[in-house]
Amino acid sequence: MKKDYSLWSLFTKGLKHNEGWDPAWRSADPKPSYNVVIVGAGGHGLATAYYLAKEHGVRDIAVIEKGYLGGGNTARNTTIVRSNYLWDEATMLYEHALKLWEGLTEDLNFNVMFSQRGVFNLGHTLQDMRDIERRVNANVLNGIDAQMLDTAEVKRMIPILNTSKNARYPVLGASYQPRAGVARHDAVAWGFARAASKYGVDIVENCEVIGMDLAGGRIQGLQTSRGFIRAERVGCVASGHSSVLAKMAGIRLPIDSHPLQAFVSESMKPVLDTIVMSNAVHGYASQSDKGELVIGAGIDHYTSYTQRGSPHIIEHTAAAIIELFPIFSRVRMNRQWGGIVDTTPDACPIISKTKVKGLYFNCGWGTGGFKATPGSGNVFAHTIAKDDPHPLNKAFSLDRFSTGHLIDEHGAAAVAH
Amino acid sequence: MFVLFCPHCQEKREEEEFGYGGEAFRVRPSTPDTVDDETWGDYLFMRSNPKGWNWELWSHATGCRKFFVVKRNTATNAIAGSWTLAEGRKVYDAEGGAQ
């Protein structure tokens, strides 16, 4: 059992020039068989393993990953956490996650640097403002901290925002969720890996699934690049590659994989102490603790697995950010990257059993999965352990695409998911 | 960013001129009133979303505004060719459909 991090351990290790820190988590070789195998060692997959071990007492768990830990979308998102969605089902799911975020650093004994700096969703047209008001009212009815702000209030809180009436798309107001925030995305993967490792979870990297063995309508195990792994239950949490995995089991998913791009600027002194999103002009920005502006773009419209998108998408988003913040017009951009997001027709996730017994899917988070990381892992662990969905993810089953009970969150999600 | 060939205009143009139309040659159930919910849901929502060669629809949105089909590799963005719907269908069938 690894020792907890504490002020004392920081002090004593500091006296020894910070040598002698143990590795935070254990990279394992695969055993021939497990009770539960999770496919995908990103935030959601590791969180699933952690809550399976912690809350459901499952001990024989592996998390297998085709690349390296947290190397997919966990490391590629813009780290925004919020829960101001429109419909009850989605709001409750994301709020469950937000509540877990609020205690996550203590729970994992790993600083995930969760900083609740609030999020503004700007409105630029009368219809925007009506939609925002409707969403804020829905949030308040669900107990979410949401407020309507007018232009003067937005300007008071974000002085560098261009609120001129002469702007191409003038800011008419915003919704504001004070409890929203950002977190350190790598730390989330490392923290969950460390905490899961403590419970004996095997984290197996460089282990790609190349086939699934099924018999009698039941999952038997996984063919991987590191040999066959027998498993009683398999949970797939592979974001953009979910369709590829589902095909191995003969399942079709309502998912399109699109590139989603983001970019960061050079480090600057603190200038933006909150998160600003605008669906109308297609851009969102926050400033990281390192001082970089973290800017997210929209998805490329074509499907792709390339982890890179087209430059005109970035150009469009950069134009939007400069429209909102003219002060950023000469900021130099440092890095740009793309991830593959798994979008669904209703912009809501799928956390579900499948027609194959013992095979579960957690996917379809599209452009906004990071915010749900602990909540997603928590309810998915319940779904796998009990072979029955948690009340919070019952509505997010795969069968909603035949019953027609979709949860349309395009308004709350859209570009700025 | 890639360059697409519009078989109607007989021109190579940048991707920005085009709109993506999704998976090509999906078959609508011929009797929507009588098929069960699973079949209809499958047609409406489910996608093959392959990693590799994909037959897809594009429209020349800022050009002739007509639809055509493209065979593109979603893992590399390599493009095998573009055809009008009728011509593309012949090539698609000759290949034995989507792989």
Side-chain angles (χ1 to χ4, degrees):
Chain A
M1 177 70 79
K2 289 197 174 64
K3 289 208 176 73
D4 279 356
Y5 294 133
S6 64
L7 200 58
W8 177 248
S9 70
L10 198 64
F11 175 70
T12 51
K13 291 286 199 300
L15 289 179
K16 296 173 190 162
H17 306 284
N18 277 313
E19 289 174 3
W21 287 105
D22 292 327
W25 51 277
R26 186 174 51 86
S27 190
D29 289 323
K31 290 194 291 186
S33 132
Y34 289 95
N35 191 335
V36 178
V37 172
I38 304 294
V39 183
H44 289 233
L46 293 163
T48 306
Y50 170 67
Y51 289 115
L52 268 172
K54 186 191 168 204
E55 295 190 353
H56 303 283
V58 183
R59 281 295 173 268
D60 192 21
I61 308 172
V63 183
I64 63 173
E65 164 61 46
K66 71 171 177 169
Y68 58 92
L69 183 133
N73 291 351
T74 299
R76 292 164 193 269
N77 62 80
T78 48
T79 78
I80 297 165
V81 177
R82 61 186 177 90
S83 66
N84 53 353
Y85 279 70
L86 177 64
W87 299 103
D88 296 351
E89 296 90 343
T91 308
M92 288 309 164
L93 183 63
Y94 289 107
E95 179 62 13
H96 178 56
L98 181 51
K99 282 180 177 154
L100 288 170
W101 275 111
E102 286 173 330
L104 198 60
T105 291
E106 290 77 12
D107 188 27
L108 298 180
N109 182 235
F110 200 101
N111 189 0
V112 297
M113 298 169 77
F114 183 48
S115 158
Q116 291 177 288
R117 54 185 68 182
V119 64
F120 292 80
N121 293 83
L122 303 180
H124 301 266
T125 63
L126 280 178
Q127 189 58 47
D128 267 3
M129 294 312 295
R130 290 186 192 112
D131 290 343
I132 286 172
E133 188 157 8
R134 181 186 176 202
R135 198 152 61 239
V136 165
N137 288 337
N139 288 162
V140 170
L141 287 173
N142 276 320
I144 308 292
D145 55 325
Q147 301 165 20
M148 284 291 292
L149 302 179
D150 64 22
T151 312
E153 288 166 317
V154 175
K155 180 74 178 173
R156 189 175 59 77
M157 295 170 85
I158 318 168
I160 59 170
L161 185 70
N162 178 16
T163 51
S164 158
K165 280 183 183 152
N166 300 323
R168 174 73 178 82
Y169 300 101
V171 175
L172 301 185
S175 73
Y176 178 52
Q177 187 185 17
R179 283 163 65 242
V182 292
R184 172 85 202 279
H185 48 9
D186 297 321
V188 175
W190 300 331
F192 272 118
R194 181 171 180 272
S197 227
K198 270 192 181 175
Y199 284 108
V201 171
D202 277 359
I203 297 164
V204 186
E205 295 175 295
N206 299 312
C207 182
E208 182 171 3
V209 174
I210 46 185
M212 291 189 189
D213 280 17
L214 314 175
R218 206 184 159 80
I219 188 92
Q220 304 295 315
L222 300 168
Q223 303 286 351
T224 76
S225 56
R226 296 180 70 174
F228 179 71
I229 302 174
R230 184 166 291 282
E232 277 178 45
R233 283 166 288 178
V234 172
C236 295
V237 202
S239 68
H241 277 77
S242 297
S243 302
V244 178
L245 285 173
K247 197 179 172 190
M248 294 174 190
I251 297 168
R252 272 159 67 80
L253 293 175
I255 282 179
D256 277 327
S257 296
H258 292 271
L260 177 69
Q261 304 180 77
F263 47 106
V264 295
S265 74
E266 60 192 343
S267 290
M268 301 183 301
K269 288 192 174 176
V271 62
L272 183 62
D273 64 354
T274 185
I275 308 157
V276 180
M277 301 180 145
S278 168
N279 281 359
V281 300
H282 281 196
Y284 51 105
S286 63
Q287 190 173 20
S288 74
D289 292 334
K290 280 192 287 182
E292 305 153 319
L293 292 176
V294 184
I295 298 168
I299 59 169
D300 283 77
H301 293 291
Y302 53 83
T303 60
S304 176
Y305 287 85
T306 54
Q307 291 191 323
R308 61 174 191 266
S310 296
H312 64 89
I313 301 284
I314 295 182
E315 195 179 344
H316 181 70
T317 296
I321 294 299
I322 294 167
E323 168 78 26
L324 295 175
F325 300 103
I327 192 177
F328 293 158
S329 65
R330 279 170 290 170
V331 173
R332 283 168 295 194
M333 292 301 150
N334 235 0
R335 300 190 306 280
Q336 166 273 335
W337 64 91
I340 315 166
V341 297
D342 41 346
T343 61
T344 55
D346 57 356
C348 272
I350 297 159
I351 313 169
S352 182
K353 295 164 71 169
T354 63
K355 64 181 183 183
V356 178
K357 286 198 183 68
L359 180 65
Y360 309 85
F361 269 87
N362 182 354
C363 57
W365 290 95
T367 54
F370 179 76
K371 70 172 72 67
T373 304
S376 155
N378 191 271
V379 299
F380 193 44
H382 183 284
T383 307
I384 295 174
K386 312 276 190 214
D387 192 38
D388 198 35
H390 189 281
L392 286 174
N393 70 306
K394 222 178 175 71
F396 296 92
S397 296
L398 202 46
D399 65 10
R400 75 177 187 267
F401 298 100
S402 51
T403 63
H405 191 96
L406 303 192
I407 306 156
D408 180 13
E409 283 293 355
H410 282 285
V415 173
H417 198 124
Chain B
M1 174 76 73
F2 37 78
V3 174
L4 288 173
F5 177 75
C6 173
H8 304 291
C9 302
Q10 294 287 312
E11 289 271 358
K12 273 190 172 180
R13 292 299 179 95
E14 284 185 357
E15 172 217 320
E16 269 187 279
E17 285 198 15
F18 299 92
Y20 184 64
E23 197 177 320
F25 308 128
R26 292 195 302 124
V27 182
R28 185 174 190 267
S30 53
T31 53
D33 292 340
T34 55
V35 295
D36 59 26
D37 290 347
E38 277 71 31
T39 312
W40 188 246
D42 189 86
Y43 163 69
L44 214 52
F45 298 120
M46 300 300 166
R47 299 289 178 267
S48 337
N49 193 24
K51 184 178 186 178
W53 290 108
N54 187 33
W55 284 89
E56 55 199 23
L57 288 167
W58 285 81
S59 75
H60 196 176
T62 61
C64 63
R65 303 182 65 192
K66 288 177 186 160
F67 275 88
F68 58 99
V69 287
V70 173
K71 187 184 174 190
R72 181 178 61 94
N73 192 317
T74 58
T76 61
N77 283 344
I79 290 167
S82 39
W83 300 268
T84 60
L85 265 72
E87 292 298 314
R89 179 83 217 201
K90 283 181 202 159
V91 182
Y92 175 82
D93 287 341
E95 281 186 1
Q99 299 301 308

